C-alpha cells in the first residue's frame, strides 16, 4: 500500500521547466519563529517543479528559541553541498535588519540582499549587556540592500503572519520562475483558509521591489 | 510515487517503512527526532518513545529477536546511553533486521558535544552506512535491513545534522515489502550472554567481521570516482558533497560504508592517485584507520583542516589552496542573538529565584540549560542527562555548599528526570544524601519539539493523533509526588512555576533544611503547549530601575530614558514582569 510522508510536498509534474547555468544559493536569515523555514520550502517547491535539483538545509533545536536562524536553499541542474559559505549567496533574504548585517559576508560579489525593515531587539540588549548598533539604515544602504516594509505590507493585507510570504514575493523577482508557479506552490503549501491572504501578500511583495 | 523533497530523517522513515519495519523505538534528540515522528504516521508499523536510548535499543533488540524488523533512532550522545546493550547486541546478532540510526551534530548546533558515533560501530564491529543525501538515506535505510539479516548483525545507519535536516529530492517507490515475522525459537547460546556463550559469540563476530570486509570490498555503496589523479580524497556523508563542491576535479573514494573499511579498495585508490587525502570533520575516524592499513595519508597542500567543528566547502578550498570568493567582512559590534526562554516560559521565575539565593546549581539537558546564560547565569554544570541530581549529591559529599555558604541545588526537567534522573535520585536517597532538588515539570519534552514522555503520559501514537499533553487523564500521567515518596524522599512539594512568591518560599524552606532531602516539583505548562494569552500588562510610574528586564523576557525592554517597555507583538500577558517589579509599577490588570 503506497504511503506518503505527512510533512512532505510532492513535486508537481508538467510545469514549465527552467535551466540554470550555475547553481544558485539563497540564504534566508531571521529570528526563530519568523517563518524562514516556510519561505525556504516555497522556493524549494517552485524550483523542484521547474525540474531543478534542490537542497534545503534547516537548523532545528536550541537556536529556535528566539535565536538567530538560517535556512539555505540551493537550486541548479545538480546541487552538491547544502552549505552556504561567505561570498557564496546569490541572494540573501533577511527577515530582520540586524540579522541582515550579521549575514552581509555571505552575499557574493554582485549578489542581492533583501531586508525586511523590522528590528527585533535581542535579549542581551534588553538586559543591558549589549547595545543596538547605530545607523542600521545607513549600513544597509552602504551594502546596497533592498529594504522592504514586509511587516507593514502584511498588516495592510490583513495578515501580519504573512510577512514571510511578502518577502518570498520580493525574492521571486530575482529568480527565473513564473509568477504562476509561485502562486501554485503557495496554494499547495499554506493552510487553505489563508491562501487568499498569502497570495495577496506575495503579489504585494513582488510589487514592492 | 515520483519525486519528493524529503529531509534525511523523513527519507529514512520512508525507506524503513518500505523495508517492512514493524517496530520503531526512540528517545527524541536533535537531529534524529523527526524520523520516528514520520514513521509513526505510516500504516502497519508500531512506534513508541522510550524513556531513554538504552531502553529504546533493548525494545528494538527484543522485537528483532522476536522476529520483526525494527528501527531504533537517537542522537549521538544517546548512543552513549545505549552503549551497554549495543556492545552486547553486537555479539548476539539479531533474528529479524535491527537498525540503529545515530545522528551526529558536528559544531554542536544543539548538543553538549560533537562525538562521532561511528566509533561505536567500529568498537562493536557492526556495519555502518553513511548517506550523503536523502536519496541515499532512503536507499540505505532499506539496504540496512537486508545487511542486518544477511550478516545476522545490528546495523548502524549514521547521519550528521546536515543530512538529517537537509531536504533533497528523493525518487520514492512508495511500495512496502511485507516481511512475514521470522519464526522464533529459543536460542540461549546466541542470546544469553553468560561467559561461555559470550566467548563463542565473539568468535562468531570475528567470522562476521571477515565476511563484512569481503562484502565491503565489492558493495556499490562504496564508489571510486577517478578524475584528476593528482588529488584523491577519501570521504563520506555530507563531506562528499562538500568535496564535490569545493574540488570538482578531484578523484574521490566515497565510502558509503564507514565500517568496515575496504582495505583492497583503499589500496587500489591510493595506487591510482598521486596523493591520497582524507576529508572528515570533528575526528580522525578515517585517517587513523586508513593509516593503520599502511596507506599514506597526505596533509592538504595549504594546511590542515580544522580538528573540530563542522567542515564546509570553504575549509576544503582553503586547505587545498583554492581562492575564496570575494565578500564583505563580517559586521562588527552587532549584539548577539542567542536562544532565550520564550515569553511566558515557566522556567524563568525559577532561575530568577535560584539566582536570588545565589545557589550553586548542577543543571541538566533541556531548554532549562539556558539558565546558564545571561541574565540568569545561574547554572554551574551541565554534563549529561540526569547528572544534575547525582552531581548535586557529589557536591554535598565534597562539602562545597558549606564551604561556599551557598546552597547546592540540582535542577532537572521532567523528561530528563524520566530518562536518567530517577536512578540518580534513588542513589541519593539510598545513600542518605541531603539537599534540594528541583524538577521543572513543564509537561513536555520541550527542546526537541514538545514530544510526549512518561511524565505527561503522551505516547508517540497520541502525539501523532495530536493529543495535547494538558488533556491527558491523570491516571495516564506519572505521579512525581508518589514516585518520590516511594523512593523515600524526605520532603516533597509541588509549586506553581508561574508564582514567584511561592517559588521563593519553597526554595528558602528547602535549602534551610540541610538535614533533609527535599524535592520541589515546579509545575506549569510549556508555552508551546498552552498558548493562551492574558492582557498585556500596564506600566505606570516606572522608576527606571531596570530590574524587570533582568528576567530576560524577549518581550520586555527599555527605551532611551530607561523606562520599561513591553513589545505587544511578543508579550503573551503571563505577568512574570508584574511579579518582578519591586515597586509594583507593572500591573497585570489594565
Amino acid at each position: 500500500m503506497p504511503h506518503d510522508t505527512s510533512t512532505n510536498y510532492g513535486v508537481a509534474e508538467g510545469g514549465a521547466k527552467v535551466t540554470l547555468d550555475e547553481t544558485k544559493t539563497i540564504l534566508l536569515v531571521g529570528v526563530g519563529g519568523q517563518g524562514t523555514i516556510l519561505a525556504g520550502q516555497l522556493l524549494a517547491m517552485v524550483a523542484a517543479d521547474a525540474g531543478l535539483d534542490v537542497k534545503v538545509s534547516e537548523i532545528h533545536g536550541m537556536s529556535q528559541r528566539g535565536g538567530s536562524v538560517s535556512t539555505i536553499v540551493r537550486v541548479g541542474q545538480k546541487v552538491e553541498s547544502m552549505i552556504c559559505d561567505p561570498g557564496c549567496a546569490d541572494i540573501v533574504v533577511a527577515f530582520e535588519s540586524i540579522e541582515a548585517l550579521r549575514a552581509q559576508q555571505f552575499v557574493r560579489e554582485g549578489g542581492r540582499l533583501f531586508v525586511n525593515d523590522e528590528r527585533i531587539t535581542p535579549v542581551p540588549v534588553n538586559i543591558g549587556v549589549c547595545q543596538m548598533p547605530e545607523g542600521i539604515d545607513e549600513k544597509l544602504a552602504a551594502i546596497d540592500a533592498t529594504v522592504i516594509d514586509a511587516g507593514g505590507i502584511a498588516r495592510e493585507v490583513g495578515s501580519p503572519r504573512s510577512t514571510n510570504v511578502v518577502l518570498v514575493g520580493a525574492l521571486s523577482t530575482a529568480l527565473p520562475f513564473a509568477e504562476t508557479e509561485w502562486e501554485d506552490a503557495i496554494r499547495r503549501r499554506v493552510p487553505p483558509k489563508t491562501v487568499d491572504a498569502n497570495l495577496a501578500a506575495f503579489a504585494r511583495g513582488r510589487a514592492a521591489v | 510515487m515520483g519525486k519528493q523533497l524529503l529531509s534525511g530523517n523523513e527519507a529514512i522513515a520512508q525507506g524503513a517503512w518500505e523495508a517492512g519495519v514493524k517496530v520503531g523505538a526512540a528517545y527524541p534528540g536533535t537531529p534524529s527526532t523527526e524520523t520516528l515522528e514520520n514513521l509513526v504516521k505510516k500504516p502497519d508499523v508500531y512506534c513508541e518513545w522510550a524513556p531513554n536510548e538504552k531502553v529504546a535499543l533493548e525494545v528494538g533488540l527484543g522485537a528483532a529477536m522476536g522476529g520483526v524488523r525494527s528501527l531504533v533512532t537517537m542522537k549521538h550522545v544517546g548512543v552513549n546511553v545505549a552503549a551497554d546493550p549495543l556492545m552486547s547486541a553486537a555479539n548476539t546478532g539479531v533474528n529479524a533486521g535491527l537498525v540503529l540510526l545515530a545522528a551526529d551534530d558536528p559544531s554542536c548546533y544543539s548538543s553538549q558535544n560533537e562525538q562521532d558515533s561511528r566509533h561505536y560501530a567500529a568498537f562493536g564491529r557492526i556495519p555502518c552506512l553513511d548517506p550523503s543525501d536523502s536519496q541515499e538515506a532512503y536507499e540505505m535505510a532499506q539496504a540496512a535491513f537486508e545487511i542486518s539479516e544477511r550478516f545476522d548483525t545490528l546495523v548502524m545507519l549514521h547521519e550528521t545534522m546536515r543530512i538529517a535536516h537537509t531536504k533533497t529530492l528523493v525518487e520514492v517507490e512508495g511500495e512496502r515489502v511485507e516481511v512475514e515475522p521470522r519464526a522464533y525459537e529459543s536460542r540461549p547460546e546466541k542470546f544469553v550472554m553468560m561467559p561461555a556463550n559470550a566467548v563463542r559469540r565473539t568468535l562468531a563476530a570475528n567470522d562476521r567481521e571477515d565476511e563484512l570486509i569481503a562484502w565491503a570490498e565489492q558493495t556499490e555503496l562504496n564508489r571510486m570516482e577517478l578524475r584528476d589523479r593528482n588529488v584523491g580524497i577519501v570521504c563520506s556523508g555530507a563531506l562528499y558533497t562538500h568535496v564535490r563542491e569545493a574540488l570538482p576535479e578531484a578523484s574521490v573514494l566515497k565510502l558509503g560504508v564507514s565500517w568496515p573499511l575496504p582495505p583492497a579498495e583503499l589500496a587500489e585508490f591510493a595506487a591510482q592517485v598521486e596523493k591520497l587525502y582524507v576529508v572528515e570533520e570533528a575526528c580522525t575516524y578515517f585517517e587513523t584507520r586508513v593509516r593503520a592499513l599502511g596507506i599514506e595519508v597526505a596533509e592538504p597542500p595549504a594546511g590542515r583542516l580544522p580538528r573540530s567543528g563542522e567542515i564546509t566547502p570553504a575549509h576544503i578550498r582553503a586547505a587545498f589552496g583554492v581562492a575564496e570568493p570575494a565578500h564583505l567582512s563580517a559586521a562588527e559590534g552587532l549584539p548577539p542573538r542567542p536562544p532565550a526562554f520564550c515569553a511566558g516560559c515557566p522556567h524563568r521565575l525559577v532561575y530568577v529565584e535560584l539566582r536570588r539565593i545565589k545557589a550553586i546549581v548542577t543543571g541538566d539537558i533541556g531548554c532549562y540549560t539556558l539558565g546558564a546564560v545571561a541574565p540568569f547565569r545561574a547554572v554551574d554544570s551541565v554534563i549529561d542527562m540526569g547528572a544534575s541530581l547525582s552531581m548535586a549529591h557529589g557536591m554535598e559529599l565534597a562539602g562545597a555548599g558549606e564551604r561556599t555558604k551557598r546552597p547546592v541545588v540540582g535542577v532537572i526537567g521532567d523528561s530528563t528526570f524520566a530518562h536518567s534522573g530517577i536512578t540518580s535520585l534513588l542513589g541519593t536517597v539510598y545513600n542518605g544524601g541531603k539537599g534540594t532538588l528541583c524538577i521543572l515539570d513543564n509537561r513536555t519534552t520541550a527542546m526537541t519539539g514538545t514530544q510526549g514522555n512518561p511524565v505527561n503520559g503522551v505516547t508517540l501514537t497520541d502525539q501523532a493523533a495530536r493529543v495535547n499533553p494538558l488533556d491527558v487523564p491523570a491516571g495516564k500521567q506519572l505521579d512525581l509526588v508518589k514516585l518520590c515518596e516511594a523512593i523515600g524522599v524526605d520532603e516533597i512539594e509541588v509549586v506553581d512555576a508561574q508564582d514567584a512568591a511561592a517559588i521563593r518560599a519553597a526554595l528558602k524552606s528547602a535549602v534551610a533544611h540541610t538535614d533533609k532531602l527535599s524535592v520541589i516539583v515546579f509545575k506549569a505548562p510549556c508555552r508551546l503547549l498552552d498558548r493562551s494569552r492574558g492582557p498585556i500588562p500596564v506600566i505606570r510610574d516606572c522608576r527606571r530601575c531596570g530590574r524587570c528586564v533582568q528576567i530576560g523576557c524577549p518581550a520586555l525592554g527599555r527605551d532611551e530614558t530607561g523606562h520599561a517597555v513591553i513589545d505587544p507583538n511578543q508579550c503573551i500577558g503571563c505577568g512574570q514582569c508584574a511579579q518582578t517589579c519591586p515597586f509594583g509599577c507593572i500591573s497585570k490588570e489594565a
Side-chain angles (χ1 to χ4, degrees):
Chain A
M1 176 176 31
H3 185 259
D4 203 349
T5 53
S6 59
T7 58
N8 167 59
Y9 300 90
V11 177
E13 303 292 338
K17 298 303 170 206
V18 170
T19 305
L20 292 179
D21 294 336
E22 288 188 329
T23 295
K24 285 208 175 292
T25 305
I26 298 93
L27 174 65
L28 308 160
V29 298
V31 179
Q34 281 195 302
T36 53
I37 285 184
L38 175 93
Q41 286 176 356
L42 288 173
L43 167 55
M45 288 166 74
V46 170
D49 291 351
L52 294 172
D53 192 14
V54 185
K55 290 191 175 176
V56 188
S57 179
E58 299 164 353
I59 308 285
H60 299 212
M62 185 172 258
S63 54
Q64 285 180 305
R65 300 279 171 267
S68 304
V69 294
S70 65
T71 297
I72 304 159
V73 184
R74 303 197 72 215
V75 301
Q77 302 311 122
K78 170 91 175 79
V79 179
E80 298 290 353
S81 174
M82 71 295 283
I83 282 178
C84 173
D85 282 310
C88 293
D90 295 276
I91 306 167
V92 172
V93 183
F95 288 48
E96 196 271 347
S97 301
I98 299 171
E99 297 311 311
L101 296 173
R102 207 190 303 284
Q104 66 178 23
Q105 69 273 25
F106 290 99
V107 186
R108 75 161 168 78
E109 236 174 28
R112 298 287 302 273
L113 171 60
F114 295 101
V115 183
N116 178 23
D117 189 13
E118 184 179 349
R119 269 142 234 196
I120 300 175
T121 310
V123 168
V125 174
N126 283 337
I127 63 177
V129 298
C130 293
Q131 304 274 309
M132 280 294 262
E134 287 181 8
I136 293 177
D137 290 335
E138 293 73 19
K139 284 176 177 157
L140 289 172
I143 55 175
D144 290 331
T146 305
V147 180
I148 302 149
D149 181 17
I153 291 171
R155 283 189 290 278
E156 274 176 39
V157 300
S159 178
R161 296 190 62 189
S162 301
T163 304
N164 55 350
V165 178
V166 175
L167 290 166
V168 170
L171 166 66
S172 72
T173 61
L175 290 166
F177 306 115
E179 190 171 351
T180 50
E181 304 289 329
W182 291 96
E183 290 166 352
D184 181 50
I186 291 168
R187 283 193 196 93
R188 278 151 57 208
R189 178 62 182 80
V190 305
K193 280 184 186 168
T194 68
V195 167
D196 289 344
N198 278 301
L199 287 175
F202 173 76
R204 288 287 307 277
R206 220 174 140 81
V209 177
Chain B
M1 284 185 79
K3 275 188 183 168
Q4 298 187 359
L5 198 56
L6 300 182
S7 70
N9 287 341
E10 290 168 337
I12 288 165
Q14 182 69 23
W17 181 79
E18 289 184 23
V21 70
K22 288 276 199 333
V23 171
Y27 182 80
T30 312
S32 70
T33 313
E34 307 80 20
T35 314
L36 242 57
E37 291 180 321
N38 277 278
L39 185 60
V40 72
K41 292 172 186 167
K42 301 174 192 295
D44 305 322
V45 56
Y46 170 79
C47 294
E48 68 180 28
W49 292 134
N52 66 34
E53 295 84 355
K54 171 181 171 338
V55 174
L57 180 53
E58 289 156 353
V59 169
L61 181 61
M65 185 172 89
V68 300
R69 289 186 169 185
S70 305
L71 175 69
V72 179
T73 74
M74 58 196 68
K75 68 183 294 173
H76 56 313
V77 285
V79 186
N80 300 334
V81 179
D84 197 358
L86 188 160
M87 294 304 290
S88 286
N91 276 356
T92 64
V94 297
N95 179 17
L98 175 60
V99 176
L100 186 162
L101 171 67
D104 290 1
D105 190 13
S107 277
C108 304
Y109 285 92
S110 202
S111 304
Q112 66 268 43
N113 75 20
E114 57 175 10
Q115 70 188 45
D116 192 316
S117 301
R118 295 175 302 181
H119 287 104
Y120 278 109
F123 196 10
R125 298 188 293 164
I126 57 171
C128 184
L129 307 185
D130 237 321
S132 292
D133 59 24
S134 298
Q135 179 72 42
E136 289 188 4
Y138 166 72
E139 291 167 4
M140 285 185 183
Q142 299 175 65
F145 284 99
E146 302 286 332
I147 295 162
S148 176
E149 290 177 1
R150 177 177 163 193
F151 295 98
D152 186 14
T153 178
L154 169 63
V155 173
M156 178 179 284
L157 183 55
H158 171 257
E159 62 176 359
T160 55
M161 181 279 274
R162 291 292 177 184
I163 300 300
H165 288 166
T166 297
K167 285 182 154 68
T168 75
L169 291 169
V170 180
E171 195 69 58
V172 175
E173 296 282 335
E175 293 297 326
R176 176 169 161 101
V177 183
E178 288 304 338
V179 185
E180 283 303 307
R182 291 192 164 202
Y184 178 74
E185 51 179 309
S186 293
R187 294 181 65 189
E189 75 287 357
K190 179 169 158 64
F191 284 106
V192 177
M193 285 300 95
M194 53 201 292
N197 292 340
V199 167
R200 280 194 288 273
R201 289 308 302 173
T202 307
L203 297 175
N206 294 346
D207 294 340
R208 186 184 71 200
E209 180 174 1
D210 294 341
E211 291 164 20
L212 282 166
I213 290 171
W215 163 78
E217 293 284 12
Q218 52 76 39
T219 177
E220 289 173 359
L221 298 176
N222 294 331
R223 189 168 73 228
M224 198 185 300
E225 301 174 0
L226 293 174
R227 287 176 282 266
D228 174 1
R229 305 293 181 100
N230 289 311
V231 178
I233 296 178
V234 175
C235 55
S236 71
L239 287 158
Y240 166 76
T241 71
H242 305 341
V243 168
R244 296 289 297 129
E245 185 79 33
L247 307 170
E249 298 308 317
S251 296
V252 171
L253 178 57
K254 177 190 183 301
L255 293 175
V257 180
S258 47
W259 195 93
L261 298 192
E265 191 167 20
L266 277 161
E268 166 70 11
F269 184 60
Q272 292 285 345
V273 296
E274 193 67 31
K275 283 194 170 168
L276 182 148
Y277 305 90
V278 169
V279 172
E280 60 188 331
E281 58 195 353
C283 69
T284 56
Y285 175 87
F286 281 137
E287 184 179 332
T288 308
R289 285 168 176 77
V290 172
R291 284 187 200 278
L293 292 169
I295 295 168
E296 194 175 330
V297 177
E299 206 164 279
R304 294 195 64 142
L305 288 159
R307 289 168 67 189
S308 62
E310 183 176 46
I311 302 287
T312 75
H315 294 120
I316 299 169
R317 286 191 195 99
F320 286 85
V322 180
E324 188 183 24
H327 61 81
L328 293 170
S329 54
E332 287 179 4
L334 295 180
R337 196 188 300 276
F341 289 135
C342 305
C345 175
H347 300 326
R348 177 174 287 110
L349 293 178
V350 176
Y351 280 113
V352 169
E353 298 305 327
L354 285 165
R355 185 181 57 186
R356 190 189 303 278
I357 61 170
K358 299 186 169 59
I360 297 174
V361 173
T362 52
D364 226 302
I365 310 281
C367 287
Y368 52 96
T369 303
L370 294 172
V373 300
F376 310 103
R377 295 195 178 97
V379 178
D380 290 64
S381 69
V382 173
I383 307 297
D384 71 292
M385 301 281 281
S388 54
L389 306 191
S390 356
M391 286 182 70
H393 179 51
M395 290 285 279
E396 183 209 356
L397 297 179
E402 280 174 32
R403 279 185 280 124
T404 57
K405 305 273 189 292
R406 297 169 62 193
V408 176
V409 180
V411 174
I412 192 167
D414 50 346
S415 188
T416 308
F417 180 67
H419 179 289
S420 292
I422 297 172
T423 43
S424 297
L425 180 62
L426 192 60
T428 303
V429 172
Y430 167 52
N431 291 298
K434 310 297 175 200
T436 303
L437 305 175
C438 303
I439 303 175
L440 306 187
D441 180 6
N442 66 351
R443 313 309 300 155
T444 191
T445 311
M447 176 57 79
T448 44
T450 64
Q451 285 74 21
N453 65 51
V455 181
N456 69 22
V458 175
T459 65
L460 182 50
T461 312
D462 292 336
Q463 188 188 311
R466 296 182 163 275
V467 171
N468 189 316
L470 306 181
D471 298 334
V472 175
K476 266 197 82 185
Q477 302 174 29
L478 175 64
D479 188 328
L480 292 174
V481 172
K482 278 188 183 165
L483 177 71
C484 291
E485 279 172 3
I487 286 177
V489 174
D490 299 322
E491 302 271 350
I492 307 153
E493 192 175 357
V494 180
V495 175
D496 179 0
Q498 297 288 7
D499 184 340
I503 296 167
R504 195 175 313 162
L507 280 173
K508 192 177 170 190
S509 163
V511 302
H513 294 124
T514 51
D515 58 333
K516 288 181 175 167
L517 179 65
S518 304
V519 169
I520 311 170
V521 178
F522 290 113
K523 193 168 176 177
C526 171
R527 286 303 309 175
L528 302 175
L529 299 180
D530 176 6
R531 292 181 185 265
S532 61
R533 287 167 171 258
I536 292 171
V538 177
I539 303 173
R540 289 192 188 88
D541 305 323
C542 173
R543 311 280 184 92
R544 296 175 166 79
C545 71
R547 290 275 286 280
C548 59
V549 297
Q550 292 308 319
I551 66 173
C553 176
L556 201 56
R558 301 171 83 186
D559 66 15
E560 308 78 47
T561 70
H563 192 291
V565 283
I566 292 172
D567 175 357
N569 293 322
Q570 295 199 66
C571 178
I572 52 102
C574 67
Q576 289 176 347
C577 53
Q579 296 184 65
T580 308
C581 177
F583 305 106
C585 298
I586 308 178
S587 62
K588 218 179 152 182
E589 312 306 327

